[in-house]
Amino acid sequence: MRNGFKFKDRHSSEFGVTVQTKSRPIRPSVKTCEVSMPHRDGSYDFSKSNSMGREMYNDRIFTVIISAVADDIYDMQTKMSKLSLWLMGNGDLIFDDMPLAVWNARVSDEILYMPERGGKKAVMEVSFRTEPFCRCSFNENGPKLEDGVYLSSSMALVIDNHYTKIIQGDPQIDAQVNVKNFGDCPMRPIIEMFSHSADVWMTLNGKGLGFWNENKGGPTIIDFEKHEITNCGEKLEAVGEFFEFPPGDNALHMRSVISNEIIMKVHFNPRFMYDVILEDVEWSDGNA
């Protein structure tokens, strides 16, 4: 499979090379936790015995073969130097045939090249270590024209209205809002809350998270990825656990100690197991 790729905002074509994919695993390996008892058949699998109640995954290794051609051996060494600088450090990795899938990647192993044709051609294998899941190239604000969303996709071009909610706080009754995760992997969003509420408690799938806000002004930011809640840069004490939002519709229940209006905005980049698939996403009024 011959395709180019972009790494750290630079495309492989800028370096005058050709790229061929050697291996690109479609699924990461599972982090296993098994216990074998000496006097029992088989083993006990505790891979899902964690706070999220699901399997966790290892990094992936994507390997490509890069070929470069030069006028002479001196020109080749110049190309090799430029390639080595480009392939250092971490960055976003995007393959041409998967334009919506963004991988957080790095080249951790050494890169060896085999000179051919008297040093005028070089062939090398480059392995990228990536996170288990890719993220979508656009967030809850929806795609832009340059994102390359396929015309056959059912993806709505305007979706940000699905992620701004107006809630009426009530100390006696839970307010329910739907948060759609249009990825196929669990996500941990950032939620902004604009209100004068002091005490907020939210639950999802039996897990709860609460906090006390002395209303210092500005939005309260709940970061489910970093496990922190802040207001005006000051950390707030959290009670409960920072849960994940599974794929699909999520019924988030919220209760406020004060009866007032709360404006909630949800920010996230959906994550996918391999490529970004949007054909099965439904954006009806019932999903708002």
Side-chain angles (χ1 to χ4, degrees), residues 181-211:
N181 174 7
F182 60 91
D184 58 24
C185 295
M187 65 138 177
R188 301 173 185 177
I190 295 175
I191 293 181
E192 283 186 287
M193 298 182 64
F194 302 83
S195 73
H196 295 287
S197 180
D199 193 2
V200 173
W201 179 257
M202 57 182 65
T203 58
L204 178 67
N205 298 330
K207 297 181 179 180
L209 176 67
F211 62 91

Side-chain angles (χ1 to χ4, degrees), residues 5 7 9 40 45 61 103 121 133 167-168 217 225 227:
F5 64 90
F7 181 58
D9 293 324
R40 289 183 178 272
D45 189 353
I61 301 295
W103 303 90
K121 181 180 180 181
F133 310 123
I167 306 164
Q168 187 59 46
E225 182 68 41
H227 289 203

Side-chain angles (χ1 to χ4, degrees), residues 26-285:
I26 63 173
R27 186 179 178 88
S29 61
V30 176
K31 291 183 177 181
T32 58
C33 181
E34 298 179 347
V35 177
S36 179
M37 304 298 290
H39 303 294
R40 289 183 178 272
D41 295 325
S43 60
Y44 295 96
D45 189 353
F46 296 98
S47 300
K48 295 183 179 180
S49 298
N50 53 67
S51 60
M52 300 303 172
R54 65 171 179 85
E55 293 177 333
M56 301 296 174
Y57 295 90
N58 293 303
D59 289 343
R60 304 188 203 212
I61 301 295
F62 293 152
T63 302
V64 297
I65 299 175
I66 298 178
S67 300
V69 178
D71 294 332
D72 52 50
I73 191 171
Y74 303 104
D75 184 34
M76 178 60 70
Q77 299 310 318
T78 300
K79 283 193 173 185
M80 292 298 101
S81 296
K82 293 180 179 179
L83 283 170
S84 65
L85 292 174
W86 173 47
L87 296 173
M88 290 178 60
N90 289 63
D92 288 342
L93 173 66
I94 305 173
F95 294 102
D96 288 354
D97 56 347
M98 300 168 63
L100 300 181
V102 182
W103 303 90
N104 182 16
R106 68 185 186 277
V107 179
S108 56
D109 298 330
E110 64 179 355
I111 301 174
L112 303 177
Y113 82 91
M114 299 177 59
E116 300 178 5
R117 301 177 186 174
K120 295 182 180 180
K121 181 180 180 181
V123 180
M124 68 202 79
E125 285 192 7
V126 178
S127 294
F128 290 95
R129 179 177 293 274
T130 75
E131 293 181 348
F133 310 123
C134 69
R135 73 177 189 274
C136 185
S137 62
F138 56 86
N139 56 22
E140 79 286 346
N141 292 320
K144 302 180 180 64
L145 292 176
E146 60 267 24
D147 286 321
V149 176
Y150 308 117
L151 293 177
S152 60
S153 171
S154 61
M155 183 71 195
L157 294 180
V158 179
I159 61 173
D160 57 338
N161 59 306
H162 292 265
Y163 297 102
T164 299
K165 313 287 185 177
I166 299 178
I167 306 164
Q168 187 59 46
D170 193 312
Q172 303 297 326
I173 303 175
D174 286 355
Q176 178 177 318
V177 294
N178 182 61
V179 179
K180 173 180 281 295
N181 174 7
F182 60 91
D184 58 24
C185 295
M187 65 138 177
R188 301 173 185 177
I190 295 175
I191 293 181
E192 283 186 287
M193 298 182 64
F194 302 83
S195 73
H196 295 287
S197 180
D199 193 2
V200 173
W201 179 257
M202 57 182 65
T203 58
L204 178 67
N205 298 330
K207 297 181 179 180
L209 176 67
F211 62 91
W212 177 264
N213 181 11
E214 296 181 356
N215 188 28
K216 297 181 179 299
T220 299
I221 300 176
I222 308 167
D223 193 325
F224 285 84
E225 182 68 41
K226 296 181 179 180
H227 289 203
E228 67 176 21
I229 303 175
T230 59
N231 183 276
C232 296
E234 182 177 329
K235 288 188 177 182
L236 305 181
E237 183 178 357
V239 179
E241 58 183 315
F242 290 85
F243 41 79
E244 291 184 324
F245 289 68
D249 296 317
N250 291 275
L252 181 65
H253 295 263
M254 298 181 60
R255 180 173 295 189
S256 171
V257 73
I258 301 176
S259 298
N260 68 326
E261 185 178 85
I262 301 173
I263 299 176
M264 184 181 80
K265 293 185 178 181
V266 183
H267 307 285
F268 71 103
N269 278 83
R271 302 193 300 172
F272 290 82
M273 181 62 71
Y274 185 57
D275 198 5
V276 175
I277 305 299
L278 303 173
E279 283 74 10
D280 298 329
V281 180
E282 296 181 1
W283 296 98
S284 62
D285 291 340

